[in-house]
Amino acid sequence: MAYRLNLFQSLVSVLVLCKPILALDFGQWYSAGNSDLLAPRLYTEHDLKRKGLSDHVSFHPEGASEGFYCHYPNLKSKEWEACNDGADSRWCWLRQLQAQEGESHPKGYTVTTNYDNFAPIGIQRHYHMDISKQTIAPDGTPREARLMNGTYPGAMIEACWGDTVIVHVTNNLDDEGSVIHWHGLRQFYNNDHDGVALTQCPIARGSTWTYNFTLLQYGTTWYHSHYILQYADGVLGPIVVHGPASAPYDVSLPSPHFMSDWVYRKAEEEFDNEKDPVVRGSKADNILVNGIGRSKEAVAAYNGEDIRSLYPITEILPGQRVRLRLINGAAGTSFIFSIDGHALEIIANDLVPVEPKIVDSLLVAIGQRYDIIIHGLDNPSPSGNYWIRTHPADGCNTFRNGLFNSTDSTNEDPLDPRTGILHYGHSSATYLSLPDTTANTITDFSCARISEQTSLRPVVPWSISTTPLNNLTLSTFYPSHQTENDVPYGNYTHWLLRLDPLVEKQGGVSFHNPLFANFSTPSLLDFTSIGQGENDNVIRLPYSSNSTDFIHMVIDGSLLPSTNQTDLDPDVIPLLAHPMHWHGSDVVLLAQSEQPFDPATSMDTWNYENPPRRDTIMAPAGGYVAVAFKPDNPGVWLVHCHIAWHASAGLALQMVIDDGKGLVENMLAGERMKRLEGGCEEWKADLGKVVDYEKEESGV
């Protein structure tokens, strides 16, 4: 298909010559002519047998859903082995048995493979999803929700490293459009499939839009709507990409542990609180895990019935090492995750395999994901039941009845962070007894946990240049300005945060304009005009395919709260950290501090040698985070706070990465642009028929 990404013709010849491993130089995809030779093939189980492909690599990965197999049709089993079946070889995914000397490609695809440059070629996997309204009661309280395929969370997308996933999304809502974003997936040279209002028009009612992307990363992530708070209403679901691991384990649980908060009102109604300086922010009503919330009434009435009707259950055997995938898909709450009496081994964060690290709890900020190994006890309790706790992080939650913190909670009707049960299957275990276990001793419930977040080291290391392509010290200014010292676009790479933009705007303060998306004219389709609008909030960055080139960026929360307040009531300024999410790039965490950023001294303390790497990072209130990323992915990319209420208030920037010579426009020329334009024509034709969305909202 014409809109697929392509490689150099030399790489095409490598495939034609049937090399056993294909080394994909992804940084050069944009320069080749059109070809489908390298596109992952679509095979069914029947096709594999009929085509005589049974000798190609095919295996059922540990923890995959029933009937799910990984297939690598280009790799013959006589030359390769799939080595995911042994607990002590989880690091290895595909390994060549007889490596040839002098070959430029890697000798296999393992956890140490540089996935920025190499990935196996898998197959196509098609998913069909629809968005519709349904009434659900995940904790016993019914409300109308917006759901993917009728469930909360939505259907899991499951694939293997190197597969191409094609998702056909049908909008069956009666009064809204939608777009679906694939959180954390880089969409390398694939900006038009990122699924945000900057890159496409919303999907019109009754229409189907197809997303197509190749999985160059592996691990755990999620998808969600990026349109008017729909994900807080239920439009979200997990993504599992099977691949290698950095530590041994015995079994992998087939379903992720999906954490979220839940609001009883429709999200757009709750959003009114975000803009109200008296109410001070949107609220949540409960905590859900895998779509199940604790019902106070049901728990109070418990009298020895089957506990599986009250809580989600995680099954384990004595002494087992069990892989569990954690996802925080909340709208406004970051969580501290723990299991009473159990150690947790972190092996990945945000689709990045890390060197194993043992903890007794961990912060999972909004948008973040972790792959962990639960170390099962050799001699568990007679009942075999232990509490799984999903505790709101201090300073990173607002619930209907007040803040829910570890020591100074103002919540009038305290929530119970005991949200699930770890159950051992042994001779005396029972489902007729609630756990009587005690919480782990946790000394840090903060929503930064800097020592933890800064200690994780990626397995595939990056060395960061101390001389970035941009200059952080030129100016310090606010995202409301489209110019600084008469220089267009300004230096947004030092971004000062303060109040939610819509709150400031209502107060008549011009400090911090919101980013507003124009649904009918996405930035990607109006590329030459980006930055001319009052609410464009754009930063232009130079494209570079050089792996040693980096952009440095500071997210500065030193004015949260402000110590030099002149234009707003200081009581309105909340002490609140922000989980910042980057589209299109992994970012490395150069520094994370609760102290204000000092351009004269702060950079002397930054970590440039294999710092933590992920796509969602917490910016502490009163302090700052410094990150670096490679500007090697052309397009228009969003950077935003992942508190859904803040994103909808416009707390976001758009980054334009281009070479100034038409790289982005050439990448989209032809069928890809026609496709986007066709989607916008459908949206505009339907727009006058859709019930008007009258709330002031960013669309981000």
Side-chain angles (χ1 to χ4, degrees):
M1 299 176 70
Y3 59 83
R4 289 189 191 281
L5 307 180
N6 305 289
L7 301 176
F8 277 114
Q9 293 298 325
S10 60
L11 292 179
V12 174
S13 65
V14 170
L15 178 63
V16 172
L17 292 173
C18 299
K19 289 284 189 180
I21 303 180
L22 181 64
L24 303 182
D25 184 359
F26 296 124
Q28 308 296 334
W29 278 21
Y30 73 93
S31 62
N34 291 330
S35 172
D36 279 336
L37 287 176
L38 297 176
R41 308 173 190 176
L42 176 60
Y43 290 114
T44 65
E45 294 287 341
H46 174 72
D47 290 332
L48 288 168
K49 294 177 181 178
R50 179 173 56 84
K51 293 176 180 291
L53 297 176
S54 58
D55 63 338
H56 287 55
V57 170
S58 178
F59 55 90
H60 181 76
E62 184 69 62
S65 58
E66 186 176 353
F68 182 92
Y69 282 82
C70 290
H71 298 296
Y72 294 103
N74 294 325
L75 310 178
K76 294 183 179 180
S77 60
K78 294 179 181 178
E79 301 169 357
W80 290 78
E81 64 171 329
C83 46
N84 72 315
D85 295 326
D88 293 327
S89 62
R90 303 292 187 201
W91 63 274
C92 181
W93 190 243
L94 297 169
R95 183 173 60 208
Q96 188 175 13
L97 293 180
Q98 295 179 345
Q100 299 177 15
E101 293 185 4
E103 292 179 339
S104 61
H105 53 69
K107 296 179 180 179
Y109 296 98
T110 74
V111 74
T112 61
T113 299
N114 184 350
Y115 51 82
D116 264 8
N117 298 321
F118 303 99
I121 293 181
I123 63 174
Q124 291 181 2
R125 298 186 187 273
H126 284 260
Y127 286 85
H128 295 265
M129 296 195 175
D130 69 89
I131 311 171
S132 62
K133 292 181 181 178
Q134 295 188 37
T135 297
I136 60 174
D139 61 355
T141 300
R143 64 153 291 191
E144 182 184 74
R146 286 147 181 75
L147 305 176
M148 294 289 278
N149 284 9
T151 65
Y152 184 90
M156 184 171 74
I157 290 177
E158 188 174 15
C160 298
W161 185 20
D163 285 349
T164 288
V165 172
I166 300 171
V167 189
H168 311 275
V169 179
T170 301
N171 178 12
N172 285 325
L173 299 172
D174 59 355
D175 60 352
E176 295 174 348
S178 191
V179 291
I180 303 298
H181 170 60
W182 316 96
H183 184 105
L185 298 180
R186 290 187 64 210
Q187 301 293 359
F188 198 61
Y189 277 80
N190 204 36
N191 190 209
D192 45 324
H193 290 264
D194 193 40
V196 296
L198 304 181
T199 61
Q200 69 173 95
C201 287
I203 307 169
R205 297 176 306 157
S207 294
T208 298
W209 186 259
T210 298
Y211 295 94
N212 185 317
F213 44 88
T214 298
L215 297 168
L216 309 180
Q217 305 145 280
Y218 55 87
T220 305
T221 191
W222 60 306
Y223 61 85
H224 60 84
S225 171
H226 236 295
Y227 179 92
I228 62 168
L229 286 164
Q230 284 178 348
Y231 102 68
D233 272 340
V235 185
L236 47 71
I239 301 175
V240 170
V241 185
H242 296 287
S246 62
Y249 58 87
D250 300 308
V251 297
S252 178
L253 297 174
S255 298
H257 189 86
F258 202 108
M259 300 170 275
S260 61
D261 49 23
W262 189 242
V263 180
Y264 291 156
R265 297 202 299 166
K266 185 179 178 181
E268 70 179 58
E269 297 172 353
E270 184 60 39
F271 184 60
D272 290 339
N273 286 333
E274 187 64 31
K275 297 174 287 184
D276 190 326
V278 177
V279 179
R280 300 182 186 179
S282 302
K283 314 295 181 183
D285 293 289
N286 209 346
I287 302 169
L288 304 185
V289 172
N290 295 340
I292 300 173
R294 179 181 181 273
S295 167
K296 292 181 294 184
E297 293 76 16
V299 171
Y302 176 75
N303 191 27
E305 297 87 3
D306 194 317
I307 57 177
R308 288 173 288 188
S309 64
L310 294 178
Y311 294 94
I313 307 296
T314 299
E315 305 280 354
I316 191 173
L317 293 175
Q320 257 187 346
R321 299 167 297 180
V322 178
R323 179 176 180 164
L324 178 64
R325 303 170 186 268
L326 305 177
I327 302 171
N328 186 345
T333 307
S334 293
F335 295 110
I336 306 294
F337 175 87
S338 66
I339 302 175
D340 290 0
H342 286 73
L344 312 174
E345 186 174 16
I346 303 171
I347 61 172
N349 63 208
D350 295 7
L351 297 174
V352 177
V354 300
E355 296 174 1
K357 180 180 176 63
I358 300 290
V359 297
D360 59 5
S361 64
L362 72 161
L363 167 72
V364 190
I366 301 169
Q368 290 185 338
R369 294 88 62 213
Y370 283 93
D371 289 46
I372 64 171
I373 297 172
I374 303 170
H375 285 253
L377 304 177
D378 292 329
N379 297 296
S381 66
S383 71
N385 295 325
Y386 293 79
W387 286 118
I388 297 176
R389 298 177 189 262
T390 311
H391 196 296
D394 289 0
C396 280
N397 70 87
T398 52
F399 286 90
R400 186 74 55 206
N401 295 317
L403 294 175
F404 184 79
N405 288 339
S406 58
T407 57
D408 58 348
S409 176
T410 63
N411 197 296
E412 299 171 2
D413 185 14
L415 299 168
D416 191 334
R418 298 176 296 180
T419 54
I421 295 173
L422 182 72
H423 175 80
Y424 281 89
H426 61 73
S427 58
S428 65
T430 177
Y431 291 109
L432 303 177
S433 174
L434 289 172
D436 59 1
T437 55
T438 302
N440 298 343
T441 300
I442 300 173
T443 58
D444 187 0
F445 280 92
S446 73
C447 56
R449 295 189 78 162
I450 290 175
S451 62
E452 174 183 282
Q453 297 264 304
T454 57
S455 66
L456 299 174
R457 293 175 55 83
V459 170
V460 179
W462 281 9
S463 182
I464 312 304
S465 171
T466 59
T467 55
L469 298 182
N470 58 317
N471 191 333
L472 282 173
T473 62
L474 286 178
S475 61
T476 296
F477 66 101
Y478 312 133
S480 61
H481 303 157
Q482 288 301 300
T483 62
E484 172 65 15
N485 299 328
D486 297 324
V487 178
Y489 312 116
N491 179 17
Y492 279 101
T493 43
H494 184 174
W495 183 12
L496 274 162
L497 305 178
R498 198 159 71 173
L499 275 184
D500 292 352
L502 287 181
V503 176
E504 292 188 341
K505 189 172 183 179
Q506 286 189 344
V509 180
S510 60
F511 180 92
H512 189 192
N513 276 3
L515 170 63
F516 271 16
N518 185 335
F519 287 148
S520 298
T521 311
S523 296
L524 196 58
L525 276 75
D526 194 22
F527 194 71
T528 58
S529 299
I530 303 173
Q532 296 181 9
E534 177 186 3
N535 298 104
D536 280 4
N537 287 12
V538 67
I539 168 178
R540 293 182 181 272
L541 299 172
Y543 166 84
S544 174
S545 61
N546 190 333
S547 63
T548 62
D549 285 342
F550 285 88
I551 296 293
H552 290 185
M553 190 172 189
V554 171
I555 309 294
D556 191 337
S558 60
L559 297 184
L560 292 171
S562 173
T563 57
N564 185 23
Q565 186 65 52
T566 59
D567 50 10
L568 284 173
D569 179 351
D571 290 337
V572 176
I573 305 292
L575 182 65
L576 189 66
H578 296 269
M580 306 304 296
H581 174 56
W582 280 259
H583 290 219
S585 299
D586 280 345
V587 297
V588 298
L589 181 57
L590 298 176
Q592 185 180 38
S593 175
E594 293 178 311
Q595 301 301 314
F597 173 71
D598 184 342
T601 62
S602 292
M603 287 181 279
D604 294 337
T605 66
W606 292 2
N607 175 22
Y608 297 98
E609 288 302 321
N610 198 24
R613 185 166 71 248
R614 59 193 318 157
D615 56 66
T616 307
I617 291 176
M618 190 69 83
Y624 75 97
V625 293
V627 303
F629 57 91
K630 300 176 183 179
D632 60 354
N633 197 4
V636 182
W637 302 103
L638 193 62
V639 181
H640 65 96
C641 177
H642 219 292
I643 297 173
W645 320 109
H646 293 187
S648 286
L651 190 53
L653 304 177
Q654 51 181 330
M655 299 190 305
V656 176
I657 298 178
D658 188 45
D659 65 353
K661 301 176 183 179
L663 172 59
V664 173
E665 292 171 294
N666 291 337
M667 179 180 73
L668 297 174
E671 292 301 318
R672 291 172 73 174
M673 182 56 70
K674 289 180 182 178
R675 178 175 178 270
L676 291 175
E677 291 172 342
C680 286
E681 290 172 4
E682 285 190 353
W683 166 251
K684 292 174 184 177
D686 191 49
L687 187 59
K689 305 171 187 177
V690 177
V691 176
D692 287 337
Y693 182 69
E694 299 176 353
K695 306 292 184 183
E696 189 173 26
E697 208 262 13
S698 72
V700 174

